Amino acid sequence: MIGFVRPFWSYNILATESWLTSMSEQGFQLADFNSRTRRFYFVKAFHSQPSIYRISYAKQNVLPPALIKDGWQEVIHKGKWHILQHEQSNEIATYPEREGVIRRNKRLMYLFTTLLIYFSFALLPHVFMFMLFIATGEFNVSIVGNAFVVMDGMMVPVLLWVYACYSLVKLNKANKQLLFGKEKGIYKLRRKSYKKQANFSRGKLAWKYAPDRLEAWLENMALAGNELIAVSRFGARFYFRRTKPKHIRYCVDYQNHLDDAYFDLHRQAGWTLLYSQTGFLDKWSIWAKVYEQGEAVPQLYDDEGHKLKHARRVTITHVAFLIPAILVYVYIFRDFALYNGVTFKLLVFGIIIIQFAAFFIQSSLYYKRMKKKVERY
């Protein structure tokens, strides 16, 4: 029996499944797994048929009958982790569900996001002090106590910050692959090809705090003969092609959960996807649909109540981040003002507070506008 340690195996389930399958093709069958030490144990199996593996995360202890009927068997069960094996002796019709893994990844992402925000705020004053040193060449700091202890105390949050960043990137990438890997590839190819066809582009920052304003701007651009054909990766630049004036309805949509079914549903209804951002906190899509003058204006969602819920969800998401950030920076601003007077750092903190406050007002006004709009119907 041989063992291999894979410390971050659960951060990329698809890669772990491929690795287990490749080990099977080399004649090594999975025999055991220690979830605490992250070690996988294999035995050499002579004259065995190569198997494929799937990993699921669920409470149930019994394998669903449909999977058993299709030839799947459970080889490892540790806690909520289930590792299933299929010998590929016949065509596979059903596969284990991924929802449990996706939900677990999301919970971990929320945890690491909280840690990332906390340690980012804790480290930010040190970052600004370093930037100030680079800009002015002056760095007057007095260390009280053992300097090595102080440095060790700073290294711990730095390492935790790096670990949180790494975990967020890996988990977010894994969920994208599990949810809509096919759609993401199609969209990426489309964005690259259409950007080359654009006649001009325009920058648009912070539009997520007032998506209805962005919709109105894009529709006015289309009426002026400038049709949106692509958006940059991070949504900061919009690419247009000059055409004859058109009536185009644009809808900016935010969702907590996205998968291939979401894109297929709207595409089958005649909508064209122009932008999709599938980050952990930002899951935005921009849809477009051409209509003739005199026709009813297309709507991505017909239910007015759903539109108000959508606006509330967008506002709550932004406010949940902005209010703590504003409070932290106000506290830092006050301390700097009391003990250091007016300095460059104080000015930077003041600008950040004003910018965050502006975002907060924009997001709140967006919800207020949508509420009035829904109440008119």
Side-chain angles (χ1 to χ4, degrees), residues 34-54:
N34 190 318
S35 59
R36 293 182 178 179
T37 61
R38 329 293 279 181
R39 183 181 290 272
F40 292 80
Y41 296 93
F42 296 85
V43 294
K44 184 67 175 179
F46 298 96
H47 308 295
S48 65
Q49 186 168 343
S51 304
I52 67 169
Y53 291 86
R54 287 294 182 270

Side-chain angles (χ1 to χ4, degrees), residues 78-272:
K78 300 286 185 178
K80 294 181 182 179
W81 287 110
H82 305 262
I83 302 180
L84 310 182
Q85 180 188 41
H86 196 291
E87 294 184 351
Q88 304 184 73
S89 57
N90 57 323
E91 186 177 351
I92 303 175
T94 56
Y95 287 87
E97 55 88 20
R98 301 288 197 184
E99 287 300 317
V101 175
I102 293 170
R103 285 195 298 268
R104 176 185 180 274
N105 287 351
K106 284 184 176 181
R107 287 194 295 269
L108 289 175
M109 288 164 71
Y110 283 120
L111 171 64
F112 286 121
T113 299
T114 303
L115 291 175
L116 185 63
I117 293 173
Y118 174 79
F119 287 114
S120 294
F121 287 145
L123 294 170
L124 208 53
H126 303 288
V127 174
F128 279 123
M129 290 174 65
F130 179 75
M131 292 171 61
L132 184 63
F133 168 70
I134 296 296
T136 64
E138 298 179 1
F139 191 65
N140 299 320
V141 176
S142 298
I143 298 178
V144 179
N146 191 318
F148 292 103
V149 174
V150 174
M151 293 303 294
D152 287 343
M154 290 180 61
M155 283 302 298
V156 171
V158 169
L159 292 175
L160 289 173
W161 186 89
V162 172
Y163 175 62
C165 285
Y166 172 81
S167 299
L168 274 175
V169 170
K170 297 295 288 185
L171 290 169
N172 185 49
K173 184 178 180 180
N175 267 12
K176 284 181 181 180
Q177 293 174 338
L178 292 171
L179 284 168
F180 35 77
K182 176 187 71 174
E183 179 63 40
K184 193 68 177 176
I186 294 172
Y187 169 71
K188 186 179 291 186
L189 291 173
R190 181 186 184 281
R191 183 182 64 211
K192 289 182 178 180
S193 62
Y194 275 81
K195 282 172 65 174
K196 296 177 182 178
Q197 303 174 23
N199 297 115
F200 67 98
S201 64
R202 292 285 185 272
K204 201 77 170 175
L205 300 175
W207 54 265
K208 297 169 186 177
Y209 298 100
D212 59 330
R213 300 294 194 198
L214 177 67
E215 292 173 353
W217 176 66
L218 293 175
E219 289 169 8
N220 289 331
M221 291 289 285
L223 288 173
N226 302 311
E227 181 183 356
L228 179 69
I229 59 173
V231 183
S232 63
R233 179 179 180 182
F234 297 105
R237 184 157 291 274
F238 294 74
Y239 295 84
F240 295 89
R241 177 175 56 199
R242 291 190 177 92
T243 63
K244 63 180 182 180
K246 293 181 180 180
H247 291 275
I248 303 178
R249 170 60 176 148
Y250 292 95
C251 286
V252 181
D253 192 28
Y254 174 85
Q255 295 290 329
N256 291 327
H257 176 79
L258 290 178
D259 54 20
D260 281 334
Y262 166 83
F263 297 103
D264 292 339
L265 175 67
H266 294 308
R267 190 177 288 109
Q268 291 169 8
W271 291 87
T272 301

Side-chain angles (χ1 to χ4, degrees), residues 205-213 284 314-315 317-319 321-322 355-356 358-367 369:
L205 300 175
W207 54 265
K208 297 169 186 177
Y209 298 100
D212 59 330
R213 300 294 194 198
W284 291 92
V314 171
T315 303
T317 301
H318 290 146
V319 168
F321 166 76
L322 290 171
Q355 188 64 71
F356 281 174
F359 290 157
F360 174 79
I361 294 171
Q362 277 185 287
S363 191
S364 301
L365 290 177
Y366 163 63
Y367 175 71
R369 287 193 302 270

